[in-house]
Amino acid sequence: MATENAAAAVNFSELVNKNKQTLAKLNESSRLLLHRRDGEDLVLTTAARAEQDQTVVSAATRMLVAMARREPGSMELLLDILPDAFPWVRFLPETDVHAFAVELVDTMRAADSVGNSAAVAQMLIAWQHTAEVYSDPELLAALTRDHAEDHGPATDPRNAE
């Protein structure tokens, strides 16, 4: 019987050299984690499983968006459950928690419409970093104090080498 647990880990060379035996491991696990020496690890799954994952994420997104927009009290419910899902929101000022909730719902809806969750992941990381700043009084003070001098325009980091 197939188990749908964590990804089975194999070296990429195993897939190249013993492809049938390695791919047979997909019968035991929903994914193969392919370790590479010269690059980022890869995840291999079947198209059907990838489509199932996308269907689940899309359904959850549509339900969250519908819930948040349906009733006036729904946003309060979302604000109430956010600390359970994202404990770091406790460090955000109340107005920022509300802004985060609105942005989360809107970004999830937009990302679902194009079938790409990268924007949601990036938004979550950015808000978590904001919460990390608020959690450290010294860092918050350093980043919010008036430095009283202008150091000129910042260089474009894409051009820095």
Side-chain angles (χ1 to χ4, degrees):
M1 181 172 192
T3 59
E4 296 294 322
N5 295 337
V10 297
N11 291 322
F12 185 78
S13 59
E14 200 175 324
L15 175 64
V16 173
N17 296 324
K18 301 176 185 175
N19 57 13
K20 286 185 182 181
Q21 297 94 323
T22 304
L23 290 175
K25 292 180 181 184
L26 281 173
N27 294 328
E28 302 164 10
S29 177
S30 61
R31 291 167 180 73
L32 291 179
L33 177 61
L34 301 173
H35 295 295
R36 300 188 311 162
R37 286 181 292 194
D38 60 348
E40 187 176 1
D41 290 348
L42 303 174
V43 176
L44 180 66
T45 191
T46 65
R49 286 186 178 129
E51 188 175 329
Q52 288 171 351
D53 290 348
Q54 182 57 40
T55 298
V56 170
V57 170
S58 182
T61 296
R62 289 192 309 269
M63 288 176 19
L64 175 66
V65 169
M67 182 199 78
R69 295 173 187 254
R70 168 91 50 189
E71 299 283 332
S74 297
M75 184 54 79
E76 285 72 29
L77 175 61
L78 180 58
L79 291 170
D80 190 45
I81 65 171
L82 278 178
D84 291 331
F86 306 102
W88 46 260
V89 301
R90 288 177 173 85
F91 296 116
L92 294 173
E94 191 174 323
T95 57
D96 283 357
V97 175
H98 188 271
F100 167 66
V102 170
E103 187 175 351
L104 177 63
V105 170
D106 291 345
T107 304
M108 288 179 71
R109 182 172 184 251
D112 183 56
S113 74
V114 295
N116 186 336
S117 61
V120 177
Q122 181 58 44
M123 187 237 15
L124 289 170
I125 290 167
W127 275 106
Q128 184 173 2
H129 289 320
T130 301
E132 289 169 359
V133 170
Y134 278 106
S135 75
D136 183 337
E138 290 179 23
L139 181 57
L140 180 61
L143 293 174
T144 57
R145 81 170 167 257
D146 183 10
H147 295 282
E149 64 179 283
D150 186 352
H151 294 283
T155 58
D156 187 336
R158 295 171 295 188
N159 298 333
E161 291 186 32

